[in-house]
C-alpha cells in the first residue's frame, strides 16, 4: 500500500498473535462482538470503505473485517486511532477498559471478581509468591520462565491480568487479607537482585497495611498440610465462602460447607505453624539487608 508516494505496511493477523477471541468465553465474545458492531456502524456512518479505513488506522482490510465481525480483539491503539478517524468523540476509546479485560484469561477474571466481593481472603503459597503480592517485574520474570515460552504479547497480557487483581487493596472498606509464604521462594532471586530487592520491599509494604497479615513458614519446621499445594479461601458478606486447594478435591473451586471445613482446618493449621506477623516481617527485613 502506498500513501503520499511512500510505501506503508498495513498490519495483518500474523503481526498480532494472541489477540484471538476465546470461543468458550461467553462474556468476552459478547464484548468483542459489541465493540466490532459499533466500529462497523460508525465507519459506515461516515461513508468509509473497510479498505480506506484500514489504511487510515494502519491495518489491512481483512483485519478490519475480522475485528468488526467480532473474531479479533482490537488493540488499544486501534480503538484510539479509530476514535480519531471516525470522529467518535472518545466513545470508541472508552471501550478499551472492557476490551482489555477480554484478554485476561477467563479463570483469572473470575478469580478477580470473587476477590473483589470477598470480605476476607486467605492465601497460602508453597512454591512462588502470591500473585496479589508480586511486583510487575517479578511477575514478568516468572511468566517468561515458562516452557514452551509465551509470546511477548501473551506475557504482557498475563502480567496485566495479575496486576489488575491488586485493586483489591484499594477497596473501601478494605477486606481482611491473610498471606502465608514459604521461606524458600523468598530466597529465590527471580529476575535478578534488583527485582528481588524490589519484591521484598513490596512484601514489607503490604505487611504494614492495617488489613493485611503476612506470615512466613520457615523451611526448618515440621511437615504441615500445605505441602501438596496452594490454598485460597474467600469469605463473602452474606456468610457464604469459596475455596480452592491444589492438594484437595482435584484442585477445583469448592463452596460446599463440608469441603470448606477441610480447607479451613488445613489453612488454620498452616497459620498456627508459621512465624507470627512481627517475626515474619523481621525475617524479610533481614533478607533485604543481606541482599
Amino acid at each position: 500500500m502506498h500513501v503520499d508516494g511512500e510505501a506503508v505496511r498495513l498490519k495483518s493477523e500474523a503481526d498480532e498473535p494472541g489477540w484471538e477471541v476465546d470461543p468458550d468465553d461467553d462474556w468476552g465474545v459478547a464484548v468483542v462482538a459489541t465493540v466490532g458492531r459499533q466500529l462497523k456502524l460508525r465507519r459506515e456512518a461516515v461513508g468509509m470503505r473497510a479498505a480506506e479505513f484500514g489504511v487510515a488506522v494502519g491495518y489491512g482490510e481483512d483485519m478490519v473485517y475480522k475485528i468488526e465481525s467480532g473474531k479479533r480483539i482490537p488493540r488499544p491503539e486501534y480503538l484510539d486511532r479509530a476514535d480519531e478517524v471516525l470522529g467518535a468523540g472518545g466513545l470508541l476509546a472508552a471501550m478499551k477498559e472492557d476490551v482489555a479485560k477480554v484478554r485476561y484469561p477467563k479463570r483469572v477474571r473470575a478469580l478477580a471478581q470473587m476477590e473483589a466481593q470477598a470480605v476476607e481472603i486467605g492465601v497460602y503459597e508453597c512454591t512462588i509468591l502470591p500473585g496479589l503480592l508480586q511486583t510487575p517485574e517479578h511477575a514478568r520474570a516468572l511468566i517468561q520462565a515458562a516452557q514452551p515460552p509465551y509470546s511477548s504479547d501473551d506475557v504482557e497480557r498475563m502480567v496485566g491480568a495479575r496486576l489488575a487483581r491488586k485493586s483489591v487493596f484499594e477497596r473501601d472498606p478494605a477486606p481482611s487479607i491473610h498471606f502465608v509464604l514459604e521461606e524458600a521462594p523468598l530466597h529465590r532471586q527471580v529476575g535478578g537482585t534488583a527485582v528481588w530487592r524490589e519484591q521484598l520491599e513490596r512484601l514489607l509494604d503490604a505487611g504494614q497495611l492495617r488489613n493485611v497479615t503476612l506470615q512466613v513458614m520457615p523451611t526448618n519446621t515440621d511437615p504441615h498440610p500445605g505441602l501438596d499445594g496452594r490454598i485460597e479461601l474467600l469469605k463473602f458478606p452474606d456468610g457464604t465462602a469459596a475455596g480452592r486447594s491444589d492438594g484437595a478435591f482435584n484442585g477445583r473451586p469448592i463452596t460446599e460447607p463440608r469441603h470448606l471445613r477441610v480447607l479451613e482446618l488445613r489453612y488454620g493449621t498452616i497459620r498456627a505453624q508459621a512465624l507470627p506477623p512481627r517475626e515474619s516481617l523481621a525475617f524479610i527485613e533481614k533478607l533485604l539487608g543481606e541482599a
Side-chain angles (χ1 to χ4, degrees), residues 52-85:
E52 181 186 2
F53 174 72
V55 171
V57 296
Y59 281 75
E61 182 179 3
D62 184 56
M63 279 285 279
V64 171
Y65 281 130
K66 286 188 175 180
I67 289 173
E68 291 182 350
S69 63
K71 295 177 181 177
R72 297 279 299 181
I73 304 171
R75 293 179 68 100
E77 314 89 81
Y78 185 98
L79 292 174
D80 283 335
R81 185 65 180 141
D83 194 278
E84 180 183 342
V85 170

Side-chain angles (χ1 to χ4, degrees), residues 29 138 224:
V29 168
H138 182 97
H224 59 76

